[in-house]
Amino acid sequence: MKKRDTNIRTVLEDLAVNNSEPAFKSLYMSYCDRIMRYLIMYVNSPQIAEELMSDVFFALWENRKQLLDINNFDAYIYRIAKFKVLNYLRDNKSLTIDLDEIPIDLFALTETTPEDDYISQELINAVNEAIEQLPTKSKLAFKLIREDGMKYKDAADHLGVSVKTLEAQLTYAVKKISKIFNID
């Protein structure tokens, strides 16, 4: 078991057993940026994404006693976020929602490091344009694996595809981006 997994398990136990507000705050601080980026890909509104994020963490607090039964917290919190955004889209758009038709911005609300600041704006625009040309499922697979560091199995479960399909989508995404930048 990784150290991060052990730390999350300890925080979850503290939250579930002791109703620990510091443990809840720790979870919030660990996950809020990633969940916000995930939500904003679908709603394209920071205000709505913030409301949905509040709903995600409220649901987490309300169900804190069941957290001891959760084996994979990353997958669990992303699943809550997914259902919150789907409910929002269903209630505010139409009765049928096709996630493949929803435009997403892969780099929404990302923070840069000092090294990233040296990358030219043209390169950033070119990368965004290359990623935008990908099919939505490939964009999501790329984001979940490459940006959020999710495990292949968890990302595949989250997207409702097999690990092989996820690998194929990632391979396609990398080849497509590499081809655009003439990288062999």
Side-chain angles (χ1 to χ4, degrees), residues 74-181:
D74 283 357
Y76 179 74
I77 195 165
Y78 274 99
R79 182 154 300 204
I80 293 172
K82 177 182 179 180
F83 288 125
K84 294 296 180 185
V85 78
L86 287 173
N87 286 338
Y88 169 81
L89 292 172
R90 184 190 64 231
D91 293 345
N92 292 290
K93 299 281 184 187
S94 66
L95 293 177
T96 58
I97 298 169
D98 183 2
L99 290 180
D100 290 332
E101 299 300 318
I102 300 171
I104 62 173
D105 181 4
L106 185 65
F107 292 112
L109 294 182
T110 58
E111 295 181 18
T112 60
T113 64
E115 298 96 41
D116 293 335
D117 292 338
Y118 288 100
I119 298 174
S120 71
Q121 187 61 42
E122 291 142 8
L123 181 58
I124 292 171
N125 290 339
V127 170
N128 280 332
E129 192 173 305
I131 292 169
E132 271 308 307
Q133 294 176 20
L134 297 172
T136 302
K137 292 247 181 185
S138 294
K139 279 189 267 190
L140 273 173
F142 190 84
K143 181 223 174 291
L144 291 173
I145 298 297
R146 299 292 172 114
E147 185 178 325
D148 290 345
M150 194 177 269
K151 295 176 185 171
Y152 277 57
K153 182 176 180 346
D154 298 336
D157 289 345
H158 181 75
L159 294 173
V161 298
S162 70
V163 173
K164 290 289 185 193
T165 301
L166 178 76
E167 289 172 350
Q169 289 171 343
L170 279 173
T171 301
Y172 174 80
V174 171
K175 283 182 181 177
K176 182 83 171 169
I177 292 168
S178 298
K179 184 177 179 181
I180 290 170
F181 287 101

Side-chain angles (χ1 to χ4, degrees), residues 7-42:
N7 290 344
I8 292 295
R9 175 57 60 196
T10 303
V11 171
L12 292 176
E13 287 173 5
D14 191 24
L15 178 59
V17 174
N18 302 321
N19 297 325
S20 171
E21 289 183 24
F24 183 73
K25 183 176 180 180
S26 175
L27 279 179
Y28 179 85
M29 297 307 290
S30 296
Y31 284 90
C32 68
D33 290 340
R34 291 190 288 165
I35 297 300
M36 178 63 110
R37 282 192 309 269
Y38 178 80
L39 293 168
I40 207 163
M41 286 190 320
Y42 293 105

